[in-house]
Amino acid sequence: MLFTDTRTLAGKTHLGRFQIHSEEANVGRLNMVDSKRPTLTLLHNDQTSWAGISQPPAIIKGELTCGTLVTLLVCKTQSRSVELLLDYVVSGRQYLPECDSRIVRIQFTVDDTRTLRWNPIFLGSADNVDNIQTGSIEWNWLRKIFEADTAIGRISAGYRWDVPSMRLLPPHPSDLRIQADIIISLEFSSGQSLESAISKARKVVKFLATISGSPITIVQAALSLAPASSSVLELVPPPYYVPVYENVPTDREIGPIVKDGATMARLITKWIGLGEGTEVDGRTQGARWEARNRYHTSCLLKGQVYDEDRLVSAANLFDLLPSSATQCDFELSPEALIAVDTARCIIKKMLKEDDAYHTRSRCLSDLARVKHPTLKNRVRARAKIVKEELVPQLNQIELITDRAVDLRNRYVHGVDSNVNPPLGLLVVCTVTLEFVFVVSELIEAGWDVSTAREFPRVQHMVNWYPHYYEAYFNEYCDVD
């Protein structure tokens, strides 16, 4: 881990002196037992001392009895008068600067690193018989997995090995167990504020969740300030992109969809570039983070729960994508352009005063949208990217996406029918939309989807969706 039990503040209660408004230092208790909900209680007067402070400062600096310096970022909304809720606690040998953007690196560990653990995993060097007898084993303490220069900074990941001291190793360490944590690092070309550093770290987490197919949460985080030094500041609680999710264990080891560092570096570089809206393959792209954020919060976090809200959210993802990712406006024929202009001139002559139902403005709005692609067109454009890579397996997937958009419109706009669609149709439509959204993003970023599907133990949707596609199509689309 980034911080051992003796260094991290998490999981403990700490006493110290904290600077509130005046120059006087207040004795207080920093409660980090629940690291997701850090609180500060003042002890110098009474247990309700916060009630007498009308507006706690946004940043509180303090020094714990162990000598650690802490910078507390205070929540804007307080639910109690006894305890002051904290957004973040930053600890180390120095304070976090209040105004300057001096963060040059953020490092973190996540709760699921299967996407980065491709074989072979380095296990050390113990080939020499003498080394085994004496317990002297040479270890690579930090093995780099990949490194990529992206639009948001240099992203890298590497192993940090937890190896017992040589004097603690037995003569024949046949049962020696070594823990290898993966540290993810994001280095910035210029100093960043805390908010900016966390925002960019979340983008890396979203990438890992996308290629994993399941939510991923930051477990520990550390900051490095400029000028660079050997010490780092612990950031508690870690910058979760969602508060919490239920981790569903699997009964077998699941392999990653990317198998080497060079491929991972190329994929994350282009994926981040697409998200930032940079120029890709000579074309200027629009930023995609709004759609990606909605996918993670409204779809991925629901796990195996499929309901109407998730279907609507999955369909709306394509409306949130920029036009550069889907389809540009249609080129109308000269006859169609004349017809539209003629209709617009006639409608503009309608009197506004007698337009009780706003017919005039509604008709003008409809005419303005004639050249714009519909939601079905936008989804079909993304489905085409997937279809071209997986033909003939998914040769008519757009028929399922059309059915999905029809079902989405039913839930959004309502219909007169009292017949509810079958649950199976709801699940298939939702899964299809999410499959198209995720896989088209990865393919555009340079992912070889055909090779990835050859992996025998991959739980990603690219592996299992094509397996069920024919059954989906036959049951819900081929009967119309």
Side-chain angles (χ1 to χ4, degrees):
M1 302 294 286
L2 273 169
F3 295 91
T4 63
D5 290 339
T6 57
R7 289 188 59 192
T8 180
L9 297 184
K12 310 180 188 75
T13 299
H14 310 270
L15 295 177
R17 292 183 174 274
F18 303 90
Q19 190 77 32
I20 309 300
H21 283 304
S22 63
E23 296 181 357
E24 179 183 357
N26 298 269
V27 177
R29 179 174 61 239
L30 179 61
N31 189 337
M32 303 290 293
V33 175
D34 181 0
S35 59
K36 298 176 185 176
R37 190 181 179 276
T39 61
L40 176 63
T41 304
L42 295 185
L43 303 177
H44 69 297
N45 288 326
D46 56 73
Q47 289 292 302
T48 60
S49 55
W50 285 114
I53 300 178
S54 59
Q55 185 64 40
I59 296 179
I60 297 176
K61 294 182 179 180
E63 182 176 356
L64 306 182
T65 54
C66 61
T68 299
L69 303 180
V70 293
T71 307
L72 315 180
L73 284 77
V74 181
C75 288
K76 294 177 182 172
T77 303
Q78 300 298 323
S79 59
R80 290 186 175 186
S81 60
V82 176
E83 296 177 344
L84 187 67
L85 302 180
L86 307 173
D87 277 328
Y88 292 109
V89 176
V90 181
S91 66
R93 299 178 182 175
Q94 56 185 314
Y95 294 116
L96 182 69
E98 295 185 26
C99 302
D100 294 340
S101 297
R102 291 180 50 198
I103 299 175
V104 295
R105 181 177 64 177
I106 181 169
Q107 294 175 289
F108 52 91
T109 61
V110 295
D111 62 347
D112 185 352
T113 56
R114 290 175 297 180
T115 56
L116 297 174
R117 291 183 183 271
W118 47 70
N119 291 324
I121 296 178
F122 179 79
L123 296 178
S125 175
D127 297 332
N128 192 311
V129 177
D130 295 334
N131 283 352
I132 296 178
Q133 291 177 347
T134 61
S136 175
I137 302 178
E138 296 179 358
W139 296 96
N140 184 353
W141 293 97
L142 187 60
R143 176 180 180 266
K144 187 161 290 186
I145 300 173
F146 78 90
E147 182 177 273
D149 289 317
T150 72
I152 62 174
R154 175 169 293 179
I155 303 171
S156 61
Y159 287 109
R160 177 166 295 174
W161 300 91
D162 182 14
V163 182
S165 173
M166 295 303 175
R167 57 187 177 83
L168 298 179
L169 294 177
H172 302 282
S174 58
D175 59 345
L176 180 64
R177 302 181 68 87
I178 305 299
Q179 178 181 350
D181 293 314
I182 291 180
I183 309 297
I184 303 166
S185 179
L186 174 55
E187 298 182 36
F188 309 110
S189 57
S190 59
Q192 304 288 313
S193 65
L194 179 62
E195 181 181 3
S196 175
I198 291 176
S199 175
K200 292 181 178 180
R202 286 172 175 166
K203 293 176 179 179
V204 180
V205 172
K206 286 181 173 61
F207 170 78
L208 296 176
T210 298
I211 64 174
S212 170
S214 60
I216 290 178
T217 303
I218 293 177
V219 177
Q220 284 189 318
L223 307 172
S224 297
L225 304 181
S229 62
S230 58
S231 63
V232 294
L233 305 180
E234 182 185 21
L235 178 62
V236 181
Y240 295 97
Y241 69 93
V242 292
V244 68
Y245 78 96
E246 183 179 1
N247 186 14
V248 181
T250 58
D251 56 356
R252 61 192 178 92
E253 185 68 21
I254 305 299
I257 64 173
V258 181
K259 286 292 188 177
D260 62 87
T263 302
M264 177 68 78
R266 289 193 299 269
L267 181 61
I268 193 173
T269 300
K270 196 168 181 180
W271 191 87
I272 292 288
L274 289 169
E276 293 290 292
T278 58
E279 186 175 295
V280 177
D281 297 333
R283 293 190 309 154
T284 301
Q285 303 287 327
R288 303 185 182 184
W289 289 118
E290 186 176 1
R292 291 176 178 179
N293 293 342
R294 187 74 62 86
Y295 166 69
H296 284 81
T297 56
S298 301
C299 300
L300 191 59
L301 287 173
K302 289 196 172 183
Q304 302 302 313
V305 177
Y306 296 93
D307 53 18
E308 294 89 344
D309 290 339
R310 181 167 180 173
L311 172 67
V312 173
S313 296
N316 291 346
L317 296 175
F318 299 88
D319 261 342
L320 296 174
L321 286 171
S323 58
S324 58
T326 54
Q327 187 172 355
C328 299
D329 291 348
F330 300 125
E331 290 291 337
L332 299 181
S333 65
E335 294 80 3
L337 288 173
I338 293 174
V340 170
D341 290 338
T342 303
R344 183 182 291 110
C345 292
I346 295 173
I347 294 171
K348 282 184 175 181
K349 294 179 181 180
M350 295 173 59
L351 296 177
K352 297 181 181 180
E353 293 76 9
D354 298 334
D355 192 5
Y357 299 101
H358 305 287
T359 305
R360 180 180 182 275
S361 59
R362 286 162 55 195
C363 289
L364 291 174
S365 297
D366 290 341
L367 287 174
R369 289 197 297 269
V370 169
K371 295 175 61 177
H372 300 333
T374 64
L375 181 58
K376 280 187 180 180
N377 299 138
R378 295 172 70 85
V379 178
R380 275 180 172 247
R382 303 302 296 176
K384 182 181 179 181
I385 298 173
V386 180
K387 179 179 174 180
E388 289 176 347
E389 294 292 329
L390 294 176
V391 168
Q393 291 173 291
L394 307 181
N395 58 342
Q396 298 187 82
I397 191 174
E398 68 273 4
L399 297 182
I400 304 183
T401 62
D402 284 354
R403 192 77 182 267
V405 174
D406 289 337
L407 189 56
R408 174 262 183 196
N409 293 338
R410 175 193 181 103
Y411 291 133
V412 172
H413 304 295
V415 293
D416 296 331
S417 174
N418 294 323
V419 179
N420 292 322
L423 178 61
L425 177 62
L426 173 63
V427 174
V428 167
C429 288
T430 306
V431 168
T432 301
L433 290 174
E434 293 181 13
F435 171 81
V436 169
F437 178 78
V438 171
V439 177
S440 63
E441 282 271 282
L442 294 175
I443 291 175
E444 275 197 318
W447 186 45
D448 188 353
V449 64
S450 59
T451 303
R453 290 197 59 246
E454 298 174 0
F455 299 156
R457 294 178 298 142
V458 175
Q459 200 178 10
H460 198 276
M461 60 178 64
V462 70
N463 185 270
W464 57 261
Y465 180 87
H467 178 74
Y468 294 105
Y469 163 78
E470 186 175 352
Y472 291 162
F473 183 84
N474 291 337
E475 184 169 358
Y476 297 109
C477 291
D478 206 23
V479 296
D480 291 344

